[in-house]
Amino acid sequence: MKKHIVKFAALAFVMSLFVTSCQKDAVEANDTQISGAQSSSETSGMVEDMGDEAEFRMAPNTPITGCPAISSAVPQGTFPNTITIDFGTGCTGQNGRLIAGKIIIEITGGYFTQGAVRTAHTDGLTVDGNSLEYTRTVTNMGLNASDQMYWTVEVSGTRTKAADGKTATWTASRVRTMIEGQATTEDMLDDTYEITGSGTGTCHMGKTFTSTITTPLIKRADCQWVVSGVEEITGEGRRGNRSLDFGDGTCDDKGTVTLSNGDTREITLHRPR
């Protein structure tokens, strides 16, 4: 069970790599395409942080601290089930964020069960004072033609800033395929995922953008970063498209951005804040 939870959290983190593709220490500070996508990336990153938070709280080995309060419609491990994680008026999450409100997860079966679906939504959720509404659905699709297990992940979310009331949106469709580690049920460090898909959104400034994985991203469980793959970002702005190359398989926090004019910049990848 512990490995299943960690695997899910790893998948949640990987999905937030749209954030990484936008957070690049600002290729150009006045570039509306990049700054807009970077602003909206906070929404997708925060949704995925909350996905990690929910899985951490549901793990059987997580200490019970009194906040958040966790309840389930039937005993955990029984399906179908609905689990409610209630942060009340506010408590600190595992990632240091101040969280209030509820995350509610409807589960039809075990994470590694073909056809099992986990659908999470929020009820009055705020994160660091910012309102966050989202629906996130993870579906186990079983085995592909290469006998690799894969999941689809569908997300739509809206983040409203407490400071000015402006909103950003993010909608994404991803496919995550476990390409290594499926045979070992107790060792998560040998797990490797391939991620494909695309997303769209608007930033707090009202600019729209799209993000498309053009070469599958590769994420290893023993590395915080995506180690290879290419993502293309298109948005409103005067400088056209960007692509981000995550590297040659080396575990590091570096990537290469190629601008529409062919110029390249090495950037440092960041965990979403």
Side-chain angles (χ1 to χ4, degrees):
M1 180 65 175
K2 180 179 180 182
K3 181 178 180 181
H4 296 185
I5 294 296
V6 175
K7 282 176 180 284
F8 186 86
L11 290 173
F13 172 71
V14 170
M15 201 180 97
S16 71
L17 287 166
F18 166 76
V19 175
T20 308
S21 70
C22 297
Q23 280 184 295
K24 5 172 243 41
D25 289 342
V27 169
E28 291 185 355
N30 63 348
D31 186 331
T32 56
Q33 176 188 331
I34 294 301
S35 62
Q38 185 173 4
S39 173
S40 186
S41 74
E42 296 174 3
T43 303
S44 59
M46 197 172 289
V47 169
E48 295 317 309
D49 273 356
M50 293 303 99
D52 288 350
E53 183 74 30
E55 292 303 315
F56 171 74
R57 298 297 179 178
M58 289 191 295
N61 58 333
T62 299
I64 298 175
T65 61
C67 185
I70 301 173
S71 60
S72 57
V74 295
Q76 290 197 39
T78 304
F79 305 106
N81 204 350
T82 299
I83 296 177
T84 300
I85 305 171
D86 189 350
F87 295 89
T89 58
C91 54
T92 302
Q94 62 157 339
N95 53 14
R97 295 186 187 274
L98 179 63
I99 309 170
K102 299 177 182 179
I103 302 174
I104 302 166
I105 305 112
E106 298 174 358
I107 305 172
T108 68
Y111 183 63
F112 283 88
T113 301
Q114 182 174 355
V117 179
R118 294 189 177 203
T119 302
H121 64 275
T122 61
D123 180 4
L125 190 71
T126 63
V127 183
D128 294 333
N130 303 293
S131 175
L132 183 65
E133 299 180 23
Y134 67 84
T135 299
R136 185 174 187 277
T137 302
V138 180
T139 304
N140 184 314
M141 303 302 292
L143 301 177
N144 61 19
S146 300
D147 289 330
Q148 298 165 324
M149 186 161 287
Y150 69 107
W151 295 258
T152 60
V153 182
E154 303 287 338
V155 175
S156 61
T158 300
R159 175 178 182 260
T160 303
K161 285 185 175 181
D164 55 19
K166 292 183 178 181
T167 62
T169 65
W170 170 241
T171 300
S173 296
R174 295 283 189 262
V175 174
R176 287 155 177 52
T177 303
M178 184 181 294
I179 59 175
E180 293 180 11
Q182 188 171 307
T184 55
T185 60
E186 299 301 327
D187 182 10
M188 62 140 317
L189 292 179
D190 63 355
D191 297 345
T192 301
Y193 292 94
E194 179 183 88
I195 306 99
T196 59
S198 62
T200 63
T202 60
C203 70
H204 292 102
M205 297 184 299
K207 301 294 184 180
T208 61
F209 61 88
T210 62
S211 169
T212 303
I213 298 171
T214 55
T215 301
L217 307 183
I218 302 298
K219 176 67 174 66
R220 303 197 317 252
D222 63 351
C223 180
Q224 181 179 2
W225 316 104
V226 163
V227 298
S228 65
V230 178
E231 189 168 18
E232 192 87 17
I233 300 170
T234 304
E236 293 184 72
R238 60 188 177 83
R239 297 188 183 275
N241 300 348
R242 269 96 173 121
S243 66
L244 173 62
D245 189 329
F246 286 87
D248 60 3
T250 303
C251 180
D252 59 28
D253 63 351
K254 302 302 179 184
T256 301
V257 172
T258 301
L259 307 180
S260 57
N261 63 3
D263 289 347
T264 61
R265 316 278 180 90
E266 182 179 84
I267 55 94
T268 299
L269 308 173
H270 294 284
R271 183 78 160 102
R273 297 187 298 274

